[in-house]
Amino acid sequence: MKKTLSNLSFSMILTALTLFTVQALAQNTASVSGTIKTADGQLLEGVTVSVTGLKLVTSTNDRGEYRFNRVQAGTQIITTKYLSLESQNKEVTLTAGQHTRLDFVMMETSKQLEAVSISSGRVKTLADKKSDYVARMPLKNLENPQVYTVISKELLKQQISIDIVNAVQNTPGAVAYTFPAGGVGIAFRGFISGVNARNGMETSASRSSLDISNVERIEVLKGPSGTLFGSAVSSFGGVVNLVTKKPFDTTSVEVSYTAGSYNLNRLTADVNTPLDKDKTVLFRVNLASNREASFLNYGFNNTYTIAPSLIYKSSDKLTFHFDAEFFNAKNTRRTYNTYTAASGLRTPAELQLDYTTSMFHDDNNGKTSASKFFAQAEYIISGNWKSTTLFSFVGEDVDYSYQSYANWLSPTRAVRQVGMWGPISNNFINLQQNFNGKFSTGGIKHNFLGGINYRYYDGSRRAGGNVVTLDTINVTSNFAPIRRKAVDAIMPLYTTAIADQQTLSAYASDVINVTDRLSAMLSLRVDRFERKKVGNTAGYKQTALSPKLGLVYQVVKDQVSLFGNYMNGFQNLAPVTQPDGSVLVLDPVYAVQYEGGVKAELLNRKLSITASYYNIDIDNATRTEANFTVQDGKQRSKGIDFEVTGNPVAGLSIVAGYAYNDNRIVKSSNAAIEGNKATTSPENVANFWATYTLQNRLKGLGFGFGANYADKNFFTADNTFYMPSYTVYSGTVFYDQSKWRLGVKLNNISSKKYWDIGGNSQAPRNVMASLSFRF
């Protein structure tokens, strides 16, 4: 008994001493934290941070953050070390019981660190998929149940990419082409999407196209994404989101000149500077002028872009972002070819027209412009909650647009036609309010998003014309190209009223972390769509719901995750007046996707791998029967996506992807095409790109090689006419230094004759050279 009491007394004394010691230490300790970034604002992961003399060491996370919780109060020296960069020391006075913030800026910019980043995998690796836009909340790739691709500016620089068409083909399964109206379309998972999102907000490039000089990266989200982006932005295949360049707090200038085949002359400038001593007002502007001819004997593309942006840090809690973009284009549109059933043609390779010959003069061109304004106010409500208010205006204007058509009667005979549209004006206004927060219910953590969006569209078509037929020619004989004067002489003009539209949306998404490895995403969007009355066409209203569910389990924490999702997208349709005078109010067309797969981030996140299987069912598609509209069409698209990106070893970078897609018409008003392949849907698509940069002698000298393959794809629903399969190779040599870069690229090395999914012939072998200077 005495022994027990003695042990109990000893335990009580030891506990009291321990509590006294902890309390004493707590009263004499403080905490310190901060972020570490490059001079141009890029957050650095993996920086070693230590408190000199106290043997306290940590490293920054993927958000560039470090923290010490118990540091002896008084004057301390914090030291940072990162790769081959010079270490930094900062003296800080810590007050007992209080927290101190201490940030570091590595004086080298991320551009100067590029050679280091390739070997280390720390700064802007090709495997970096971190994004605030994909889920509209900060969510790591391994935590996200959706498949997406990120095309970085580093990759675009390696490939000397100067247009969106070539850039997006780094996405598994993606093939791009230019619309007859002048915009750009990207097809993946069996459906065509425009470039409709910019920093998560609606944009438009359906008639004016765009320039990538102001693009930081391109995010391609796979699958119906109407839940968070809305039907005006997403297609059933997914969403293409451009993330633009943002101002940072040091002065930097980069000027680039690119020249090449077909009289290519391109000049770009990227200028960044703080506007005040405290660096609370930051300004950046990107400029681009592009002039080039076509590989065809007629055709050209002249554009210029001005894209200013500004950040104003009003306080520690409130930050304003403003940016604009002005794009002007004067260019020819590619001829849209159609083929009669009696022509006997199966592919465009059978046409007897010379591959580089145009049947239309380049004075049949278009003149378009786009004006885009964006504003954002971000307010930190608390440590876990923030409010983001966004505004965007996109105005797309067509002064005039001459579009040429060729209807082929045989391999040698074609009917030449031209249409003219314009002036046309399309204006889009979006207001959006988001609240992001993190909280816990019991032991379950929540990452929450709630928001509302108001969209308003108005447009006008002040003058236009029907497509007029000019003549029928034999392309094997001498013929003159069609001139605009001949078109104007017979073109009838008319005016068309366009109905205004508005959509009010509300959405919510909650990522629930059941454990540190298991999470679920629950999302829902409701859209109230209204089209105003125009002319004799009655207005109408429609409400649609779009749910999204996802599940993620990290088999290996922060390295390998299994995921599955259910996603929904929709498109609003106008009512249809039937032959008997009745009006059929159509339900929205819905797309439902089920997908499952695996994601991996290996070799300290230097290598990213994604593999998945998906099935997309389209319901409520419309068809006609005896001239009456019936809404019972169905379509099914299914397949696999596989992607590998990263910098697995020093100096080597790889981007590779493969996609298989089986997209078929399940039900149609024409029973003869049921079971057929859907149009513009190649079955197999593959992309590959690799570069190697020397690490010792001639450091900065590099070589790159790539290939793109697309299977044949049907141009007509009866599956009689198709675009042949193709493989196109390209290669580059470059010398990259801290202050300048020289690169030369050879495109279509084998001079392959091939056509995109819209039937446009593509350029044979061509070369381009680019020289950049950084100040």
Side-chain angles (χ1 to χ4, degrees):
M1 182 69 177
K2 290 182 179 181
K3 186 175 181 181
T4 301
L5 290 173
S6 176
N7 289 340
L8 181 60
S9 300
F10 178 76
S11 298
M12 293 175 64
I13 294 171
L14 181 61
T15 301
L17 287 172
T18 302
L19 291 173
F20 176 79
T21 302
V22 169
Q23 186 177 11
L25 287 172
Q27 291 175 347
N28 198 38
T29 61
S31 62
V32 59
S33 68
T35 60
I36 302 177
K37 59 184 179 180
T38 63
D40 56 357
Q42 300 295 333
L43 297 172
L44 287 171
E45 177 189 1
V47 178
T48 300
V49 188
S50 60
V51 183
T52 304
L54 296 182
K55 296 182 180 181
L56 296 176
V57 182
T58 187
S59 60
T60 55
N61 60 20
D62 59 355
R63 296 180 296 277
E65 300 167 338
Y66 77 92
R67 184 180 182 92
F68 293 104
N69 286 322
R70 288 183 178 178
V71 184
Q72 185 177 337
T75 300
Q76 303 291 352
I77 296 176
I78 309 295
T79 301
T80 63
K81 294 182 180 180
Y82 185 71
L83 300 173
S84 60
L85 303 184
E86 184 177 353
S87 62
Q88 291 191 21
N89 300 306
K90 282 190 178 183
E91 188 176 278
V92 60
T93 299
L94 303 178
T95 302
Q98 295 186 12
H99 174 263
T100 300
R101 183 177 180 87
L102 185 65
D103 296 331
F104 289 83
V105 175
M106 312 300 286
M107 296 312 297
E108 289 80 356
T109 67
S110 61
K111 293 175 181 176
Q112 293 169 304
L113 286 170
E114 278 181 1
V116 177
S117 73
I118 290 177
S119 62
S120 70
R122 296 292 188 186
V123 183
K124 287 294 182 183
T125 71
L126 297 184
D128 184 7
K129 286 193 170 185
K130 185 168 59 178
S131 170
D132 290 337
Y133 301 104
V134 172
R136 292 198 185 277
M137 63 174 66
L139 201 63
K140 297 178 182 178
N141 176 43
L142 293 181
E143 299 172 329
N144 196 325
Q146 186 166 5
V147 173
Y148 62 96
T149 294
V150 174
I151 303 167
S152 67
K153 67 178 181 181
E154 287 76 21
L155 177 59
L156 299 180
K157 184 180 298 183
Q158 289 179 11
Q159 297 180 343
I160 316 183
S161 291
I162 62 173
D163 62 66
I164 188 71
V165 170
N166 289 323
V168 297
Q169 292 181 148
N170 290 292
T171 302
V175 287
Y177 79 107
T178 303
F179 293 132
V184 177
I186 298 98
F188 46 94
R189 295 200 170 179
F191 304 95
I192 296 176
S193 175
V195 182
N196 296 328
R198 184 180 189 271
N199 297 328
M201 295 289 283
E202 181 180 7
T203 186
S204 177
S206 60
R207 290 184 176 272
S208 61
S209 193
L210 54 91
D211 193 281
I212 63 171
S213 57
N214 190 37
V215 172
E216 179 76 19
R217 66 182 184 273
I218 303 169
E219 300 175 342
V220 182
L221 290 64
K222 300 293 188 68
S225 299
T227 305
L228 294 181
F229 289 88
S231 60
V233 173
S234 64
S235 79
F236 296 152
V239 172
V240 180
N241 180 48
L242 303 181
V243 179
T244 60
K245 297 177 180 177
K246 306 296 191 300
F248 48 91
D249 58 8
T250 59
T251 299
S252 174
V253 177
E254 180 171 346
V255 178
S256 299
Y257 173 70
T258 305
S261 303
Y262 316 120
N263 298 326
L264 170 65
N265 284 276
R266 177 178 174 84
L267 180 65
T268 64
D270 183 352
V271 181
N272 184 89
T273 183
L275 296 183
D276 66 339
K277 181 177 64 176
D278 296 330
K279 299 182 179 181
T280 60
V281 183
L282 312 175
F283 177 76
R284 187 172 187 175
V285 62
N286 279 268
L287 311 168
S289 175
N290 192 98
R291 300 181 65 86
E292 60 183 316
S294 171
F295 72 93
L296 300 172
N297 57 342
Y298 293 102
F300 67 96
N301 179 37
N302 298 336
T303 67
Y304 69 85
T305 307
I306 303 173
S309 57
L310 183 141
I311 292 178
Y312 172 46
K313 300 177 181 179
S314 176
S315 67
D316 290 340
K317 291 189 174 184
L318 180 61
T319 303
F320 295 97
H321 300 252
F322 305 95
D323 68 282
E325 186 172 307
F326 306 96
F327 176 80
N328 282 67
K330 188 175 182 180
N331 49 28
T332 51
R333 283 80 163 93
R334 292 301 304 275
T335 298
Y336 187 74
N337 295 279
T338 58
Y339 310 87
T340 64
S343 67
L345 290 163
R346 298 277 296 179
T347 78
E350 298 170 354
L351 297 176
Q352 297 302 302
L353 180 67
D354 181 78
Y355 189 76
T356 61
T357 297
S358 173
M359 296 182 288
F360 301 86
H361 198 278
D362 56 18
D363 60 7
N364 289 287
N365 59 58
K367 185 178 180 182
T368 59
S369 63
S371 301
K372 305 178 182 182
F373 301 91
F374 301 84
Q376 173 181 311
E378 185 175 276
Y379 181 73
I380 306 300
I381 301 172
S382 66
N384 291 324
W385 286 88
K386 74 172 182 178
S387 164
T388 307
T389 307
L390 304 106
F391 165 83
S392 73
F393 168 82
V394 176
E396 196 171 32
D397 296 292
V398 179
D399 286 359
Y400 58 86
S401 178
Y402 288 83
Q403 298 166 206
S404 57
Y405 303 86
N407 184 22
W408 291 90
L409 307 177
S410 73
T412 60
R413 297 177 65 244
V415 178
R416 294 192 290 183
Q417 301 173 310
V418 176
M420 197 285 285
W421 284 264
I424 297 173
S425 177
N426 293 311
N427 300 306
F428 307 86
I429 294 175
N430 274 268
L431 289 169
Q432 189 175 111
Q433 174 62 52
N434 293 322
F435 292 97
N436 290 86
K438 295 183 178 181
F439 62 94
S440 298
T441 54
I444 298 177
K445 296 180 179 179
H446 298 260
N447 195 345
F448 178 80
L449 161 74
I452 57 174
N453 190 94
Y454 174 74
R455 174 185 185 265
Y456 184 82
Y457 162 79
D458 73 82
S460 65
R461 184 171 293 180
R462 296 183 294 276
N466 295 309
V467 175
V468 295
T469 299
L470 278 302
D471 58 17
T472 301
I473 61 171
N474 187 323
V475 297
T476 61
S477 61
N478 292 329
F479 62 86
I482 296 292
R483 303 296 300 262
R484 184 197 294 190
K485 184 177 180 180
V487 176
D488 290 342
I490 61 173
M491 179 66 70
L493 299 179
Y494 67 92
T495 60
T496 301
I498 299 176
D500 293 350
Q501 301 173 12
Q502 62 180 6
T503 306
L504 181 61
S505 309
Y507 47 88
S509 183
D510 190 9
V511 177
I512 303 169
N513 292 100
V514 182
T515 70
D516 64 342
R517 296 192 180 200
L518 178 63
S519 64
M521 174 184 283
L522 309 175
S523 307
L524 181 67
R525 182 188 186 99
V526 57
D527 271 17
R528 178 61 172 172
F529 177 81
E530 180 180 356
R531 177 172 175 167
K532 304 293 185 180
K533 179 182 179 181
V534 57
N536 294 323
T537 303
Y540 73 102
K541 300 178 181 179
Q542 208 167 56
T543 301
L545 288 172
S546 179
K548 175 180 177 181
L549 307 173
L551 198 63
V552 175
Y553 179 71
Q554 296 190 38
V555 182
V556 181
K557 178 68 174 172
D558 295 327
Q559 295 186 59
V560 181
S561 65
L562 300 177
F563 69 92
N565 67 55
Y566 164 90
M567 298 174 62
N568 177 289
F570 60 90
Q571 294 176 351
N572 290 296
L573 299 177
V576 173
T577 301
Q578 304 283 33
D580 62 2
S582 63
V583 175
L584 174 64
V585 177
L586 297 170
D587 293 328
V589 178
Y590 281 100
V592 174
Q593 172 181 285
Y594 298 92
E595 182 174 18
V598 59
K599 295 182 180 183
E601 292 186 349
L602 309 174
L603 304 177
N604 196 22
R605 289 200 294 279
K606 296 178 186 177
L607 191 67
S608 174
I609 301 173
T610 302
S612 68
Y613 171 82
Y614 63 87
N615 185 101
I616 305 174
D617 287 317
I618 309 299
D619 200 9
N620 286 348
T622 60
R623 64 185 182 88
T624 57
E625 184 176 287
N627 294 325
F628 280 79
T629 298
V630 180
Q631 190 171 36
D632 64 356
K634 295 182 182 295
Q635 187 175 337
R636 177 171 295 133
S637 175
K638 57 184 179 181
I640 60 173
D641 271 357
F642 178 75
E643 180 183 46
V644 178
T645 60
N647 312 100
V649 298
L652 177 66
S653 65
I654 296 174
V655 174
Y658 167 74
Y660 169 80
N661 176 252
D662 181 20
N663 187 13
R664 295 184 182 273
I665 301 167
V666 177
K667 192 171 185 178
S668 169
S669 58
N670 180 4
I673 66 173
E674 290 185 357
N676 282 5
K677 290 276 192 178
T679 60
T680 63
S681 301
E683 194 169 84
N684 296 280
V685 177
N687 63 283
F688 173 81
W689 178 261
T691 62
Y692 181 73
T693 305
L694 300 182
Q695 299 295 291
N696 297 307
R697 289 187 177 183
L698 297 177
K699 188 174 183 179
L701 178 64
F703 311 88
F705 177 78
N708 286 87
Y709 170 81
D711 223 341
K712 76 173 185 179
N713 65 96
F714 291 106
F715 188 72
T716 55
D718 61 7
N719 289 183
T720 58
F721 192 90
Y722 63 91
M723 303 301 158
S725 63
Y726 62 83
T727 304
V728 178
Y729 304 96
S730 58
T732 183
V733 178
F734 57 87
Y735 194 49
D736 199 349
Q737 297 297 291
S738 61
K739 296 295 184 181
W740 59 275
R741 185 184 194 278
L742 175 64
V744 179
K745 186 182 181 186
L746 188 61
N747 296 303
N748 195 358
I749 294 173
S750 63
S751 206
K752 175 75 173 179
K753 292 182 179 180
Y754 70 106
W755 294 261
D756 65 17
I757 60 174
N760 297 313
S761 55
Q762 301 298 296
R765 183 187 303 113
N766 61 93
V767 65
M768 56 201 310
S770 180
L771 178 62
S772 302
F773 293 98
R774 308 170 186 124
F775 308 99

